[in-house]
Amino acid sequence: MGGRSTGNFTVSGNLGRFRGEVVDVPSLQAPGFIKAQTQDAKAFPDISSCKAIVLSARAGVPYDGYRFQFGNKRGAFCSFFSSGFKTHFAAPVSDEIQRIVIPLGNFSDCNSDSTGEPSKLCSDDPRVCPDPKTLRNVKTIAVWGEGKAGTVDLDIKSIAATGCSSTQQQQQQQKPDSPRASQEGFNGKNTCSGSGIQAKLRYNMTGRVDEMGELPFPLAEGETLPTGICCDSAYAPYAEPRFLFNRSDVALFPTLQGQERPVTFYDSVCGIPLFRAPLNRSFEEFRAETAEHGWPSFRPAEVVAGNVKILENGYVVSKCGTHLGSNLPDEKGTRYCLDLSCISGNPQ
């Protein structure tokens, strides 16, 4: 934009070095941009069931205009030039490589051509969220310095998806239509205790199925969404549909609005208390963080001690063994990113 901003990307050792200067475009009296972009001749891995992008990186100087982009889908009626899904990320100034987690729910394909700022947020309009087709093959990725004048000084060690597992990666490589059932009523193995999912769940989760076909493969015959997500080993790497909590027939936060707080969330199988929220934050902060990421989001202070644990692979499970979701830490620390299907039980 205007030819005043300059930059380059080089490789030194095991680091990619993104350097440059973003300056104002005189005719616009607004900052320009620089961009480092790659398109692999071999398809990138399928990340359609992952929950976040993670950069291993460090900044040499403070700069508030970093953005990450993937894909080339153009948002309808949103912009003329820009394409792909993009979001801002904060790069800490450090001598050591830092882990920067960017939830996929932060990305939007509706962004300003002039500033890179989102015109519509994924949390407000699911139509601008990353679509399954793009996530299965992102085709291109880019790191930007955009919309803020200043010095770009970023070292990147790696870029990956997180919230995934080796099991998921194997399934992605094989790309089956659906796994071969190993137990009747399940695509994999039944990992839940006792008689399984409670007969009646809260938040209209009882008997729910994958109405819109958003899961990576169909539920087994007679299998419900809560059983699949919480109890079926085949779905362990995956999550319930994003923003399920916000559907009109679920309406989690309007339902909670009139309840006494903190609200207790119970295991959908064994009925033990798992989380009490909100604690150490407001109801609106709880709602906003959940809306930002697309799944109910809890913090360590809200855990019922002894009833929840994080496994080495990042999965979150209850004391009863019910699969609840994943740990996706951010700049605030541990963040429990959970499936509403699995925390909608009644006390027993």
Side-chain angles (χ1 to χ4, degrees):
M1 292 179 65
R4 298 295 184 94
S5 298
T6 58
N8 62 72
F9 189 90
T10 60
V11 177
S12 177
N14 66 344
L15 295 176
R17 300 186 181 276
F18 187 30
R19 302 288 188 271
E21 196 77 23
V22 178
V23 300
D24 287 346
V25 179
S27 60
L28 299 178
Q29 293 298 302
F33 68 85
I34 61 174
K35 176 174 71 169
Q37 180 172 338
T38 183
Q39 181 171 341
D40 207 333
K42 181 180 178 181
F44 288 108
D46 181 346
I47 63 169
S48 59
S49 299
C50 302
K51 295 185 176 179
I53 300 294
V54 58
L55 276 67
S56 295
R58 67 186 179 198
V61 296
Y63 178 66
D64 192 35
Y66 288 118
R67 303 186 193 279
F68 187 84
Q69 175 201 337
F70 63 83
N72 54 21
K73 180 175 178 287
R74 189 177 298 277
F77 311 113
C78 285
S79 59
F80 185 80
F81 295 105
S82 72
S83 62
F85 296 92
K86 186 190 293 185
T87 191
H88 171 270
F89 69 90
V93 176
S94 176
D95 293 330
E96 303 296 328
I97 295 294
Q98 303 294 311
R99 190 169 185 264
I100 305 168
V101 178
I102 314 172
L104 289 176
N106 287 12
F107 287 86
S108 170
D109 69 350
C110 188
N111 302 290
S112 166
D113 285 328
S114 58
T115 66
E117 290 290 331
S119 304
K120 293 182 180 179
L121 297 173
C122 175
S123 56
D124 295 331
D125 188 345
R127 293 175 299 177
V128 305
C129 299
D131 62 292
K133 181 179 179 181
T134 297
L135 294 173
R136 285 193 289 269
N137 181 6
V138 301
K139 294 184 179 179
T140 181
I141 59 176
V143 179
W144 296 63
E146 181 181 27
K148 302 283 185 179
T151 299
V152 170
D153 185 344
L154 186 69
D155 291 338
I156 303 172
K157 184 176 182 180
S158 65
I159 300 171
T162 189
C164 315
S165 73
S166 57
T167 300
Q168 176 190 1
Q169 291 166 0
Q170 292 168 5
Q171 290 171 338
Q172 289 168 348
Q173 291 169 0
Q174 296 167 358
K175 295 186 178 178
D177 292 330
S178 64
R180 182 173 296 172
S182 60
Q183 285 183 249
E184 186 176 357
F186 292 83
N187 279 315
K189 294 182 179 180
N190 180 8
T191 60
C192 284
S193 60
S195 57
I197 295 291
Q198 294 179 5
K200 187 174 182 179
L201 299 175
R202 299 179 176 188
Y203 315 119
N204 204 24
M205 291 293 111
T206 304
R208 196 171 195 96
V209 296
D210 183 23
E211 300 98 335
M212 301 175 67
E214 296 173 90
L215 295 181
F217 44 84
L219 293 163
E221 184 176 355
E223 188 174 37
T224 65
L225 180 66
T227 298
I229 295 300
C230 314
C231 302
D232 191 332
S233 62
Y235 290 102
Y238 306 101
E240 69 189 14
R242 186 178 293 143
F243 300 113
L244 176 64
F245 77 91
N246 204 36
R247 291 186 183 175
S248 58
D249 61 338
V250 177
L252 174 62
F253 285 97
T255 300
L256 299 182
Q257 190 78 45
Q259 295 187 17
E260 184 178 348
R261 301 171 195 159
V263 176
T264 301
F265 293 83
Y266 296 90
D267 190 305
S268 293
V269 174
C270 65
I272 62 171
L274 302 172
F275 296 87
R276 294 190 177 98
L279 286 175
N280 296 344
R281 57 177 174 167
S282 69
F283 182 78
E284 286 305 317
E285 288 171 327
F286 176 34
R287 185 209 296 259
E289 186 170 90
T290 294
E292 176 183 356
H293 298 291
W295 291 271
S297 183
F298 298 87
R299 293 295 174 173
E302 296 164 330
V303 176
V304 176
N307 287 357
V308 177
K309 58 183 177 180
I310 301 172
L311 304 182
E312 289 186 2
N313 59 7
Y315 292 167
V316 178
V317 299
S318 76
K319 184 173 66 174
C320 304
T322 307
H323 180 86
L324 305 177
S326 299
N327 172 36
L328 293 177
D330 57 14
E331 67 278 1
K332 297 178 183 178
T334 298
R335 185 178 67 82
Y336 298 87
C337 185
L338 305 185
D339 298 297
L340 183 60
S341 303
C342 308
I343 58 171
S344 296
N346 291 285
Q348 291 186 351

